[in-house]
Amino acid sequence: MKELKVGIIGATGYGGLELIRFLHNHPEVEHIELFTSSSAGETFSTRFGHLVSIHDKPLNEINVDTLSTFDVVFTSTPSGVTSELLPPLVGVGPKLIDLSGDYRLQDPSSYEKWYKKKPAPLEIIQQSVYGLTEWNEKNIKEASVIANPGCYPTAVLLSILPLIKNELIDPNYLVIDAKSGISGAGIKPSQTTHFSEANENLSIYKINQHQHIPEIEQAIEMFAGAKTNITFNTHLVPMTRGILSTTYAPVHAGVTNKQLTECLIETYRDHPFVRVISEASAVGTNRVKGSNFCDIHVKLDERTNRATIVGVIDNLVKGAAGQAIQNMNVQMNLPQTSGLHVVPLFI
Amino acid sequence: MKELKVGIIGATGYGGLELIRFLHNHPEVEHIELFTSSSAGETFSTRFGHLVSIHDKPLNEINVDTLSTFDVVFTSTPSGVTSELLPPLVGVGPKLIDLSGDYRLQDPSSYEKWYKKKPAPLEIIQQSVYGLTEWNEKNIKEASVIANPGCYPTAVLLSILPLIKNELIDPNYLVIDAKSGISGAGIKPSQTTHFSEANENLSIYKINQHQHIPEIEQAIEMFAGAKTNITFNTHLVPMTRGILSTTYAPVHAGVTNKQLTECLIETYRDHPFVRVISEASAVGTNRVKGSNFCDIHVKLDERTNRATIVGVIDNLVKGAAGQAIQNMNVQMNLPQTSGLHVVPLFI
Amino acid sequence: MKELKVGIIGATGYGGLELIRFLHNHPEVEHIELFTSSSAGETFSTRFGHLVSIHDKPLNEINVDTLSTFDVVFTSTPSGVTSELLPPLVGVGPKLIDLSGDYRLQDPSSYEKWYKKKPAPLEIIQQSVYGLTEWNEKNIKEASVIANPGCYPTAVLLSILPLIKNELIDPNYLVIDAKSGISGAGIKPSQTTHFSEANENLSIYKINQHQHIPEIEQAIEMFAGAKTNITFNTHLVPMTRGILSTTYAPVHAGVTNKQLTECLIETYRDHPFVRVISEASAVGTNRVKGSNFCDIHVKLDERTNRATIVGVIDNLVKGAAGQAIQNMNVQMNLPQTSGLHVVPLFI
Amino acid sequence: MKELKVGIIGATGYGGLELIRFLHNHPEVEHIELFTSSSAGETFSTRFGHLVSIHDKPLNEINVDTLSTFDVVFTSTPSGVTSELLPPLVGVGPKLIDLSGDYRLQDPSSYEKWYKKKPAPLEIIQQSVYGLTEWNEKNIKEASVIANPGCYPTAVLLSILPLIKNELIDPNYLVIDAKSGISGAGIKPSQTTHFSEANENLSIYKINQHQHIPEIEQAIEMFAGAKTNITFNTHLVPMTRGILSTTYAPVHAGVTNKQLTECLIETYRDHPFVRVISEASAVGTNRVKGSNFCDIHVKLDERTNRATIVGVIDNLVKGAAGQAIQNMNVQMNLPQTSGLHVVPLFI
C-alpha cells in the first residue's frame, strides 16, 4: 500500500471532478484534498451534489507549505493560470501534473501565438515532460512536472503516431477532422454551450486556429521524427463526453490495409488502454465512455490510396483526468491501470 | 478473498451488461461466465465492442450441471422467461438472483393479471425474497432465491416507505408520477425507442396499467403495514439512464417539514446507498448516474398540507444490476458496498 | 389584406424569436420591427444567424412615438420589465400583447408574493384580458392589453377546464405534475442550463413555489367557477421544446371514461388548435413540436376512481408566441389559424 | 392559383412525412394523396399522431390509372424500389420526382457496384435529370423524371462546386468529412439507431463505401468539369436532423480568402436558399433546422494553403423533401420559394 496523499488545484472544473471520481476509488490513494484560489471554505458536495457522502470536506486555500506535504498535486485550471501558479510548487515536494496547456509547448513564442497569453517561465517548461503515457513512459517516470496532453492531441496522436513512425503514411498531407462532445468546453456556461442552442446543433469552431495544432505537430516530430504542417479542425457535437478524430493521409506506395492494422496492433501490444478495433462498426465514443481507453481503427481506401485513421476517447478521461492518473501511476511505480480499471459505460 | 464464481443468464440485455460492468471490478469475484439460450459460442465483445479486452470469452449454453458449480447466478431476462428457466436451478447450488419481474408478486393471479403471462411455480415464488436491500436485509441473507425489485418500485419505495411506516403521510391518496430514461425499455429496438422519434419527445405510457403498481402496493403493505390503492403513471424521458419519481401525499395533521426530513435521515442513517438530500436543487438523475445511490428529498407544502417526495436512481444500477450485486454482497457476508463503491458520473 | 405593422419588444429572447418565425410567414403582416432597451443598432441576423436573409434589419430603440404607429406590439421580456415598460404604451395606438407574467394576476399582492417583484399599476392590470384564446375569445376581441398565458398554465388549463366546468372531476384534490423542455428557462445561460449538466439530467425545481400556481387557480375560478388549492410541481427535461402536464383528480361518482373524453371533444369541437387524442400512445411532445396545437388526453382509472389528464404543447408556440399571434388574429378579426397553420415537425 | 394535385408514394418514411409537412402549407397545392404498396386503407394520422386533423385520410393503393390524373408524383422509398415502381408511371401524365437514389447515377454498372442492387432501366435513367436545383434549373424545368439529389451530395456540392468550377481549389485532393443526424438512417428501427445506443455516441460508418461517392464525383464532372477521386467519409451524430460537411482542399497558388468567399457570394447571388455565411461562429445545423436553406462558409488556412469549406443543411429538407418541392416549383413555373418560405427553427 502506497497510501498516497494527493491534492487537486482547480477541482471545480470538469477535469477536476473526474480526478476526484477516479482517485476516490484508487486503491493506493489514502488522502485527497481540494484547493481553490476563489472559494476556500465552501463544502464541496454542497456545490456538487453527486459527491454528497463522498467528498463532504471543504475546499482549502492554496498554500505552498501545505501542498509541499503532498505526494502528487494535479493542477486542472483554465490555460494561463498554472503558468504563474505552478512555479512556486516546483521542487518543494510533490510531483506536479498539469492538465492545462501551459507546459505543453516547448517554444514559449508558439504558446504566445496560439494561446494569446503570457507563457510560463522557460526553465519550468524545459523541465516538464509531455505526458502521452504510451509514448513517453521512461521520461514520465523521472519527471517532476508533467504536461498532461490535450484531449484532441491524445486521440489524434495515439492513432497516427505508429503509422508515421513506421513510414506507412505520408505525413505531408495530414488532414485531421476532429469532433468533440460539449464537456470539452468546460464548466463555465456560455451561449454556445447553453442547452437549447447546443442541443441538436453540430458546428465547427476555431477553424485553423486551435491551440492543439502546434501541440500535435510538436509531438509528431518528437515521437515519430517527422516535421509536419497539419490541417486540423474541430467540431462541437451535441453530446456531453467523447472525442472522435478522423485523420486522412496518403499511404506510401505498396502499403496494404493489413500492414496498417498490424502496425497499430504491434505498437500497442503491451499497452492496456489502447485497443485496436478491427471492425469500424464497433468504433464509437460510447464504447469508451467513462473509461481510460483509446480505441483506434485504420482503413485503407484502395481506390484513392488514402488511409482513414480513427481515434476515439472519453475526452475527460483518457483526454484529461484518466491519463493524468495513468501518469501518476507511472511516476509512483504502480501498475498503469491502478484505479483506472473501469469498464466503459456503453449506454 | 472470497473468489466467487458468478454466472449471468441474459447478459445480452442492459441489465446484464451492467452486471458485467460492476462484477469485473468486484474485488471478491474471481470468475464471470455468461450464459445464453440463443447465441452460445459467439464472442461477447464482438457484439459489445466496449468489452473488447475485458470480456472476450464466448457465451455459454445454459446447462444446469455447469451452473450448479457457481456461487451465484443472476438471471436478467425479459419477464416471462425465468418463470420456466429458474426452477430447475433452485437448490442445485448457486444463490439465484432474478432481475426479471417473475418472482416479485407473491400472488400468481396478480402476476397473470398485470403481466398477462403464465406465473412461475407457486412453491418457488413462496421461497423467493423481495430484494429491497435496505428494508429486507435479514431475509435476503438467508434466501436462496432473490426477486430483485423493479426499477420504479426501488425509487418510489425507498423514498416513501419511511414516511408511511412512521405515519407521517396518509397512504390513502398516494399519487406517484414517475419518469424514466429510455434504457428502461430494454435493448430491443422499436419505433418508440428509435432515436429520431424518442429524442426531443416526452411521453406517457401504460396509464394505470404498469405492472409495477401491484409490486409497489405489496411492498408498502409488507414493509409499512398499510393497504393502499395507488395512482401510478410512467413517462418516457429523452435520456438514456435515470428514474425520478415524484410522489404526492397528504400529511397527517400537525406534521412538519422537519419531521418528514428527519424521519428519512433517521431511517437511512446506516445505509450507505440512500442519501437524503436537503436542497431540491441538488436532486437530479445525473447526481446518481452510473452509481448505486438512491437520492431522496421531501418537501411539505404548507399551503395545501401535502408533501412532495422525490426519489432518484440510475435505473440500471440501483434499479437493477447494482441492487442485485448489493443483494449478493448481503448473501455472501460482504460489505454491501463491495464492488459498488463508484462515484456518480455527474456529467 | 390587412397589411399589419407589428412591433416586438424583447426580440432577443426565445419567445421573441418564435414571434419572428411565425410573423415572417403571416399573410396579413406587412411590416415587422424589433425593439430593444439595450442593443439598438445591432443587426439582428448577426446575432441570430438563422435569420440571415430573413431579418437583416437593425434593432430599434424603444420609443413611444414610433410604437404608436404600429397596429400591434408584442412585449416578450423577462417578468418585472413590462410592469414599467408597458403603461406608457397603453392607449397610444397599438394593441398590446404581453408575453411576460406581469399582467396575468389580477391581485397585485399575489404578484408580489409569487414573483417577488413590484407589481404593474393596478389600472392597467384591470384593463388587461387573460389571453387563453379558447376560453376568452370574446373579451380578447375587445381588449387593448392582453396578458398572454404562461406556458404551463396553457397546457394545464386547456386539458382540465372542461372537466371541472362540467363537474366531472373533483377540483378539491388536483395534483398537477408538469414537465418542461429547457427552452422554458429562457435564453440566458446558467449552470442549470449548461449543456453538460442539463443533458441526461431530469430534475425537479421550484417545489410548491412556481409563480404559475396562482395563475392556474385564478383561471380555474374565472372559467370553471371553482375555488381550488392545487398541488403543482415542475420538472426540467433534457430536451429543448415541449411541455407535458399530467393532472390527477378524483372523478365524481358514476362518471365514465367515455363521458370524460366526450366532454373534451364537445368543448373543443370548433377550436382548431386543441386536439383530443384518443390513444395515449399518440400523445407526446414531438407530436406538437413547432406548432400551435395543444393535444389533450384523459383516462379514468376504474381501480382508484381517479382520472389522469394529459396536456401537451410546444412551450414556445402554444405556450408563448403562437398563442400570442392567435390572440392578435382574434383582435384583428382574422381567422385564428392565420399564419399559424404549420404542421408539427414530429422529428 | 395552380391548384395542383400531388401524390406521394412512400409517405411512411421521414422523406415522405416532410413532403406532407411542406405540401400542406404550399399555396398552390390543392390536393394531396398518399400511396403505399403495403398498408392501403390505414388512416394515416392513426399511425402518425402529429397529423391528426391535418391528414386524416386513408393511404391509397398504388394504381397507375389513378396516379395518371396527378400533376406531380413524388416517390420517397428506400433505394431499389423505384427502379421497378417508377417506369410504368413515366409518360402517363404526372411529373415524377424520385427521392431515392435509383435514378441518380447515369452509369448502371456504377449503381450496381455501390448500391449492390439491380439498376433501373437505362432508358429511364437517361431521361432523368439530376435535381440539384441551383445548378440544373434549365434541365429541371423540362424534365419529366427528376432524380432528387442525396442529402450528403447536396451539402457537399453546393459548397464546393463554385470553387472547383472557378479553378480556385485543386480538385485532385478533396477530403470530405461529412456528419449527419440520425434521421438520415430512416424510419426503420435498428440497433444502431436505438436511442440508448445512438444517444451520446458519435461513430463513423461505411468508410470509403458510401453510395454518395459516385454521385458527388459525377456531379463535380457534370457541373464543374473536373474528374475527381474524392475521399468521403460519413459520421453519425447524436441529433435528429442536420448535415454538416467539411471539405478540405489545396488552393491554387495565389488564391486569397477573399476570392474564395466572393466566388461563393457571386455564384449564389440570385439563389434564395443558399446563404454564404461570413462568420464561422454563425454556422451550425440548428441555423437551418426545419428549413430549405443551405449555409456555406469557406476559410483559407494561409499556414498550409488549404481551404476548409463547410456546407450545412437540414438533411430532410434541402437534403430531401424541400429540394424536391423546390424542383416541383421549377417544373410548375412557380417561384422556387413557394411553400418553402419557412424560417429555421434555431432551437
Side-chain angles (χ1 to χ4, degrees):
Chain A
M1 282 299 248
K2 294 273 177 177
E3 306 201 344
L4 298 173
K5 196 170 163 187
V6 176
I8 303 171
I9 298 175
T12 56
Y14 291 147
L17 291 173
E18 285 292 277
L19 285 168
I20 295 170
R21 184 164 77 88
F22 283 103
L23 291 170
H24 263 281
N25 278 324
H26 195 295
E28 316 291 341
V29 170
E30 175 66 14
H31 193 73
I32 303 168
E33 288 294 340
L34 313 182
F35 295 87
T36 177
S37 54
S38 56
S39 0
E42 200 182 330
T43 300
F44 201 67
S45 61
T46 303
R47 185 145 167 207
F48 296 106
H50 68 293
L51 294 172
V52 166
S53 86
I54 295 167
H55 196 102
D56 295 318
K57 294 189 284 187
L59 284 158
N60 303 290
E61 225 169 305
I62 298 174
N63 177 294
V64 176
D65 285 350
T66 313
L67 286 163
S68 68
T69 66
F70 282 70
D71 296 294
V72 182
V73 173
F74 295 94
T75 48
S76 182
T77 55
S79 64
V81 174
T82 53
S83 53
E84 296 198 7
L85 192 148
L86 198 128
L89 298 173
V90 177
V92 306
K95 296 280 189 180
L96 303 172
I97 301 178
D98 181 47
L99 284 82
S100 88
D102 289 359
Y103 293 87
R104 292 183 202 145
L105 299 184
Q106 289 292 310
D107 175 359
S109 69
S110 177
Y111 179 88
E112 265 189 291
K113 178 183 160 196
W114 291 93
Y115 284 80
K116 315 216 182 300
K117 282 177 182 160
K118 203 168 149 282
L122 185 59
E123 66 275 19
I124 312 288
I125 293 177
Q126 286 172 339
Q127 283 180 52
S128 79
V129 165
Y130 190 64
L132 189 69
T133 329
E134 283 75 10
W135 287 81
N136 215 12
E137 195 178 335
K138 202 171 293 183
N139 291 321
I140 291 165
K141 206 183 273 287
E142 308 303 326
S144 56
V145 180
I146 301 281
N148 211 56
C151 50
Y152 287 119
T154 298
V156 171
L157 293 167
L158 290 176
S159 59
I160 66 172
L161 281 178
L163 305 176
I164 299 175
K165 193 183 174 196
N166 290 279
E167 296 183 0
L168 296 173
I169 61 172
D170 175 357
N172 292 310
Y173 201 115
L174 291 172
V175 170
I176 305 168
D177 189 280
K179 301 100 182 160
S180 175
I182 292 169
S183 63
I187 200 169
K188 210 175 147 209
S190 71
Q191 212 62 49
T192 308
T193 58
H194 191 47
F195 183 89
S196 300
E197 294 175 35
N199 183 34
E200 293 292 293
N201 187 29
L202 174 65
S203 59
I204 188 168
Y205 68 103
K206 288 197 185 177
I207 301 187
N208 307 320
Q209 295 180 322
H210 202 289
Q211 69 276 11
H212 288 165
I213 292 173
E215 181 179 340
I216 294 170
E217 292 184 348
Q218 172 183 289
I220 293 175
E221 188 169 358
M222 192 187 306
F223 299 120
K227 278 191 179 296
T228 55
N229 214 11
I230 64 170
T231 292
F232 175 76
N233 274 325
T234 48
H235 301 77
L236 211 53
V237 175
M239 61 186 190
T240 300
R241 289 167 181 253
I243 280 178
L244 186 151
S245 70
T246 317
T247 301
Y248 301 92
V251 299
H252 288 301
V255 167
T256 65
N257 194 61
K258 193 158 174 258
Q259 279 177 288
L260 294 168
T261 301
E262 286 184 352
C263 168
L264 296 179
I265 292 174
E266 199 51 49
T267 304
Y268 294 114
R269 188 174 298 285
D270 300 322
H271 293 278
F273 289 123
V274 184
R275 304 188 294 190
V276 182
I277 305 295
S278 53
E279 293 299 316
S281 61
V283 175
T285 57
N286 68 358
R287 303 323 199 276
V288 301
K289 190 163 65 175
S291 82
N292 200 47
F293 287 111
C294 175
D295 284 0
I296 59 180
H297 176 78
V298 63
K299 183 78 188 168
L300 174 62
D301 182 11
E302 280 148 10
R303 209 179 70 99
T304 59
N305 230 33
R306 296 172 201 149
T308 302
I309 311 149
V310 183
V312 180
I313 59 169
D314 183 320
N315 57 311
L316 298 178
V317 188
K318 185 61 177 168
Q323 186 158 237
I325 294 171
Q326 192 182 353
N327 286 328
M328 177 190 85
N329 288 340
V330 170
Q331 293 181 303
M332 298 292 143
N333 284 310
L334 298 167
Q336 282 193 23
T337 53
S338 199
L340 294 170
H341 197 51
V342 301
V343 177
L345 280 179
F346 181 41
I347 69 161
Chain B
M1 283 297 249
K2 293 273 176 176
E3 306 201 344
L4 297 173
K5 197 169 162 187
V6 175
I8 302 171
I9 297 175
T12 57
Y14 291 147
L17 291 173
E18 285 290 278
L19 285 168
I20 295 171
R21 183 164 79 88
F22 282 103
L23 291 171
H24 263 280
N25 278 325
H26 195 294
E28 317 291 341
V29 171
E30 175 67 14
H31 192 75
I32 303 167
E33 290 292 340
L34 313 182
F35 295 85
T36 177
S37 54
S38 56
S39 1
E42 200 182 331
T43 301
F44 201 66
S45 61
T46 303
R47 185 145 167 206
F48 295 106
H50 68 294
L51 294 172
V52 165
S53 86
I54 295 166
H55 197 102
D56 294 317
K57 294 189 285 186
L59 285 158
N60 304 289
E61 227 169 304
I62 298 173
N63 177 293
V64 176
D65 285 350
T66 312
L67 285 163
S68 67
T69 66
F70 282 69
D71 297 295
V72 182
V73 172
F74 295 94
T75 48
S76 182
T77 57
S79 64
V81 173
T82 53
S83 53
E84 294 198 8
L85 192 148
L86 199 127
L89 298 172
V90 177
V92 306
K95 296 280 189 179
L96 302 171
I97 302 177
D98 182 48
L99 283 82
S100 88
D102 290 359
Y103 294 87
R104 293 183 201 144
L105 300 183
Q106 290 291 311
D107 174 359
S109 70
S110 176
Y111 180 89
E112 264 188 293
K113 177 183 162 197
W114 290 92
Y115 284 80
K116 317 222 180 295
K117 282 174 183 162
K118 202 166 149 284
L122 185 58
E123 67 274 19
I124 312 289
I125 292 176
Q126 287 171 339
Q127 283 180 52
S128 79
V129 165
Y130 190 63
L132 189 68
T133 329
E134 283 76 9
W135 287 81
N136 215 11
E137 196 178 334
K138 200 172 292 185
N139 291 321
I140 291 166
K141 208 184 271 288
E142 308 303 326
S144 55
V145 180
I146 301 282
N148 212 57
C151 50
Y152 287 119
T154 299
V156 171
L157 293 168
L158 290 176
S159 58
I160 67 173
L161 280 178
L163 306 175
I164 300 175
K165 193 182 173 196
N166 289 281
E167 295 183 359
L168 297 173
I169 61 173
D170 175 358
N172 292 312
Y173 201 114
L174 291 173
V175 170
I176 307 168
D177 188 282
K179 303 98 180 161
S180 174
I182 294 170
S183 64
I187 200 168
K188 212 175 147 209
S190 71
Q191 211 64 47
T192 307
T193 58
H194 191 47
F195 183 88
S196 301
E197 295 176 34
N199 184 35
E200 294 290 293
N201 188 30
L202 173 66
S203 59
I204 187 167
Y205 69 103
K206 288 195 183 178
I207 301 185
N208 306 321
Q209 294 179 325
H210 202 288
Q211 69 276 11
H212 289 165
I213 293 173
E215 181 179 339
I216 294 169
E217 292 184 347
Q218 173 184 287
I220 292 175
E221 188 169 0
M222 192 186 307
F223 299 119
K227 277 191 180 297
T228 56
N229 215 11
I230 64 171
T231 291
F232 174 75
N233 273 325
T234 49
H235 302 77
L236 212 52
V237 176
M239 60 185 190
T240 300
R241 287 169 183 254
I243 280 178
L244 186 151
S245 70
T246 318
T247 301
Y248 301 92
V251 300
H252 287 301
V255 167
T256 65
N257 194 59
K258 192 157 175 261
Q259 278 177 288
L260 294 169
T261 301
E262 285 184 352
C263 168
L264 296 179
I265 292 173
E266 200 51 50
T267 305
Y268 295 115
R269 189 174 297 284
D270 300 320
H271 294 277
F273 289 123
V274 183
R275 304 189 295 193
V276 183
I277 305 295
S278 54
E279 292 300 315
S281 61
V283 175
T285 59
N286 69 357
R287 303 324 198 276
V288 300
K289 190 163 65 175
S291 82
N292 200 48
F293 287 110
C294 175
D295 284 1
I296 58 181
H297 175 81
V298 65
K299 183 80 188 167
L300 174 63
D301 183 12
E302 280 148 12
R303 210 181 68 99
T304 60
N305 231 31
R306 296 169 202 151
T308 301
I309 311 148
V310 184
V312 179
I313 59 169
D314 183 321
N315 58 311
L316 298 177
V317 188
K318 185 61 176 169
Q323 185 157 240
I325 293 171
Q326 191 182 353
N327 286 328
M328 177 190 86
N329 289 341
V330 170
Q331 292 180 305
M332 297 293 144
N333 284 309
L334 298 167
Q336 282 193 23
T337 54
S338 198
L340 294 171
H341 196 52
V342 300
V343 177
L345 282 178
F346 180 41
I347 69 161
Chain C
M1 284 295 249
K2 294 272 178 177
E3 306 200 344
L4 298 173
K5 196 168 163 189
V6 175
I8 302 171
I9 297 175
T12 57
Y14 291 148
L17 291 174
E18 285 291 278
L19 285 168
I20 295 171
R21 184 164 79 87
F22 283 103
L23 291 171
H24 263 280
N25 278 324
H26 195 295
E28 316 291 341
V29 171
E30 176 67 14
H31 193 73
I32 304 167
E33 289 295 339
L34 313 182
F35 295 85
T36 176
S37 53
S38 56
S39 1
E42 199 182 333
T43 300
F44 201 66
S45 61
T46 304
R47 185 146 167 206
F48 296 106
H50 69 292
L51 293 173
V52 166
S53 87
I54 295 166
H55 197 100
D56 295 318
K57 293 188 286 188
L59 284 158
N60 304 288
E61 227 169 305
I62 298 173
N63 177 294
V64 175
D65 284 351
T66 312
L67 285 162
S68 68
T69 67
F70 283 69
D71 297 295
V72 182
V73 172
F74 295 94
T75 48
S76 183
T77 55
S79 64
V81 173
T82 53
S83 53
E84 295 198 8
L85 192 148
L86 200 127
L89 297 173
V90 177
V92 306
K95 297 280 190 178
L96 302 171
I97 303 178
D98 182 47
L99 284 81
S100 87
D102 289 0
Y103 294 87
R104 294 183 201 144
L105 299 184
Q106 290 292 311
D107 175 359
S109 69
S110 176
Y111 179 88
E112 265 188 293
K113 176 182 162 197
W114 291 93
Y115 284 80
K116 316 221 181 295
K117 283 177 182 159
K118 202 169 150 281
L122 185 58
E123 66 273 21
I124 313 289
I125 293 176
Q126 286 171 340
Q127 283 180 53
S128 80
V129 166
Y130 191 64
L132 189 69
T133 330
E134 283 75 9
W135 287 81
N136 215 11
E137 196 178 334
K138 201 171 292 184
N139 291 322
I140 291 165
K141 207 184 272 287
E142 308 302 326
S144 55
V145 180
I146 302 282
N148 212 56
C151 49
Y152 287 120
T154 299
V156 171
L157 292 168
L158 290 175
S159 59
I160 67 172
L161 280 178
L163 305 176
I164 300 174
K165 191 182 175 196
N166 289 280
E167 295 182 0
L168 298 173
I169 61 173
D170 175 357
N172 292 311
Y173 201 115
L174 291 172
V175 171
I176 306 168
D177 188 282
K179 301 100 180 162
S180 175
I182 293 169
S183 64
I187 200 169
K188 210 174 147 212
S190 71
Q191 211 64 46
T192 308
T193 59
H194 191 47
F195 183 88
S196 301
E197 295 176 34
N199 183 35
E200 294 290 292
N201 188 30
L202 174 65
S203 59
I204 188 167
Y205 69 104
K206 288 194 183 176
I207 301 186
N208 305 321
Q209 294 178 324
H210 202 289
Q211 70 276 15
H212 289 167
I213 292 173
E215 181 179 339
I216 293 170
E217 291 184 348
Q218 173 184 287
I220 292 175
E221 188 169 358
M222 192 187 307
F223 299 120
K227 277 191 180 297
T228 54
N229 215 11
I230 63 171
T231 292
F232 174 75
N233 273 324
T234 49
H235 301 77
L236 212 52
V237 176
M239 61 186 190
T240 300
R241 288 169 182 255
I243 280 178
L244 186 151
S245 69
T246 317
T247 301
Y248 301 92
V251 299
H252 287 302
V255 168
T256 65
N257 194 61
K258 192 157 174 260
Q259 278 177 289
L260 294 169
T261 301
E262 285 183 353
C263 168
L264 296 179
I265 292 174
E266 200 50 51
T267 304
Y268 294 115
R269 189 175 297 285
D270 300 320
H271 294 277
F273 289 123
V274 182
R275 306 189 293 193
V276 182
I277 305 296
S278 53
E279 292 300 315
S281 62
V283 175
T285 58
N286 68 357
R287 304 322 199 277
V288 301
K289 191 164 63 176
S291 82
N292 199 47
F293 288 110
C294 175
D295 285 0
I296 59 181
H297 175 79
V298 64
K299 183 80 188 167
L300 174 62
D301 183 13
E302 280 149 11
R303 210 179 69 98
T304 59
N305 230 32
R306 297 171 201 149
T308 302
I309 310 148
V310 184
V312 179
I313 59 169
D314 183 322
N315 57 312
L316 299 177
V317 188
K318 184 62 173 167
Q323 185 156 238
I325 294 171
Q326 191 181 353
N327 286 327
M328 176 190 87
N329 288 340
V330 170
Q331 292 180 304
M332 297 293 144
N333 284 310
L334 298 168
Q336 282 193 22
T337 55
S338 198
L340 294 171
H341 197 51
V342 300
V343 177
L345 281 179
F346 180 40
I347 69 161
Chain D
M1 282 298 249
K2 294 272 176 176
E3 306 200 344
L4 298 173
K5 196 169 163 188
V6 175
I8 303 171
I9 298 175
T12 56
Y14 292 146
L17 291 174
E18 284 292 278
L19 285 168
I20 295 170
R21 183 164 77 89
F22 283 103
L23 291 170
H24 263 280
N25 278 325
H26 195 295
E28 315 292 340
V29 170
E30 175 67 15
H31 193 75
I32 303 167
E33 289 294 339
L34 313 182
F35 296 86
T36 176
S37 54
S38 56
S39 358
E42 199 182 330
T43 300
F44 201 66
S45 61
T46 304
R47 186 146 166 205
F48 296 105
H50 68 294
L51 294 172
V52 165
S53 87
I54 295 166
H55 197 102
D56 294 318
K57 294 189 285 187
L59 285 158
N60 304 290
E61 227 169 305
I62 298 173
N63 178 292
V64 176
D65 285 350
T66 313
L67 286 163
S68 67
T69 67
F70 282 70
D71 297 295
V72 182
V73 172
F74 296 93
T75 48
S76 183
T77 55
S79 64
V81 173
T82 53
S83 52
E84 295 198 7
L85 193 149
L86 198 128
L89 298 173
V90 177
V92 306
K95 296 280 188 180
L96 302 172
I97 302 178
D98 182 47
L99 283 81
S100 87
D102 289 0
Y103 293 87
R104 292 182 203 146
L105 299 184
Q106 289 292 310
D107 175 359
S109 69
S110 176
Y111 179 88
E112 265 188 294
K113 178 183 161 196
W114 290 92
Y115 284 80
K116 315 220 181 298
K117 282 176 183 160
K118 204 168 149 281
L122 185 59
E123 66 275 21
I124 312 289
I125 293 177
Q126 287 171 340
Q127 282 180 53
S128 79
V129 165
Y130 190 64
L132 189 68
T133 329
E134 283 76 9
W135 287 81
N136 215 11
E137 196 178 334
K138 201 171 292 184
N139 291 322
I140 290 165
K141 205 183 272 288
E142 308 303 325
S144 55
V145 180
I146 301 282
N148 211 58
C151 50
Y152 287 119
T154 298
V156 171
L157 292 168
L158 290 175
S159 59
I160 67 171
L161 281 178
L163 305 176
I164 300 175
K165 192 182 174 197
N166 290 280
E167 296 183 358
L168 297 173
I169 60 172
D170 175 358
N172 292 311
Y173 201 115
L174 292 172
V175 170
I176 306 167
D177 189 281
K179 302 99 181 159
S180 175
I182 292 170
S183 64
I187 200 169
K188 211 175 146 208
S190 71
Q191 210 64 46
T192 307
T193 58
H194 191 47
F195 183 88
S196 300
E197 295 176 34
N199 183 34
E200 292 292 293
N201 188 29
L202 173 64
S203 59
I204 187 167
Y205 69 104
K206 288 196 184 178
I207 302 186
N208 307 320
Q209 295 180 324
H210 202 288
Q211 68 276 11
H212 288 166
I213 292 173
E215 181 179 339
I216 294 170
E217 291 184 347
Q218 173 184 288
I220 293 175
E221 188 169 359
M222 192 187 305
F223 298 120
K227 277 191 179 297
T228 54
N229 214 14
I230 64 171
T231 292
F232 175 75
N233 273 326
T234 48
H235 302 76
L236 212 52
V237 175
M239 61 186 190
T240 299
R241 288 167 182 255
I243 280 179
L244 185 151
S245 70
T246 317
T247 301
Y248 301 93
V251 299
H252 287 301
V255 168
T256 64
N257 194 60
K258 192 159 174 256
Q259 279 177 288
L260 294 169
T261 300
E262 286 184 351
C263 168
L264 296 179
I265 291 173
E266 200 49 50
T267 303
Y268 294 115
R269 188 173 298 284
D270 300 321
H271 293 278
F273 289 123
V274 183
R275 304 190 293 192
V276 182
I277 305 295
S278 54
E279 293 300 315
S281 61
V283 175
T285 59
N286 68 357
R287 303 322 198 278
V288 300
K289 190 163 66 175
S291 83
N292 200 47
F293 287 110
C294 176
D295 284 0
I296 58 181
H297 175 78
V298 63
K299 183 79 188 167
L300 174 62
D301 182 11
E302 280 148 12
R303 211 180 68 99
T304 59
N305 231 31
R306 297 171 200 148
T308 301
I309 310 147
V310 183
V312 179
I313 59 169
D314 183 320
N315 58 311
L316 298 177
V317 188
K318 185 61 176 168
Q323 186 157 236
I325 293 171
Q326 192 182 353
N327 285 328
M328 177 190 87
N329 288 341
V330 170
Q331 292 181 306
M332 297 293 144
N333 284 310
L334 297 167
Q336 281 193 25
T337 53
S338 198
L340 294 171
H341 197 52
V342 301
V343 177
L345 281 179
F346 181 41
I347 69 161

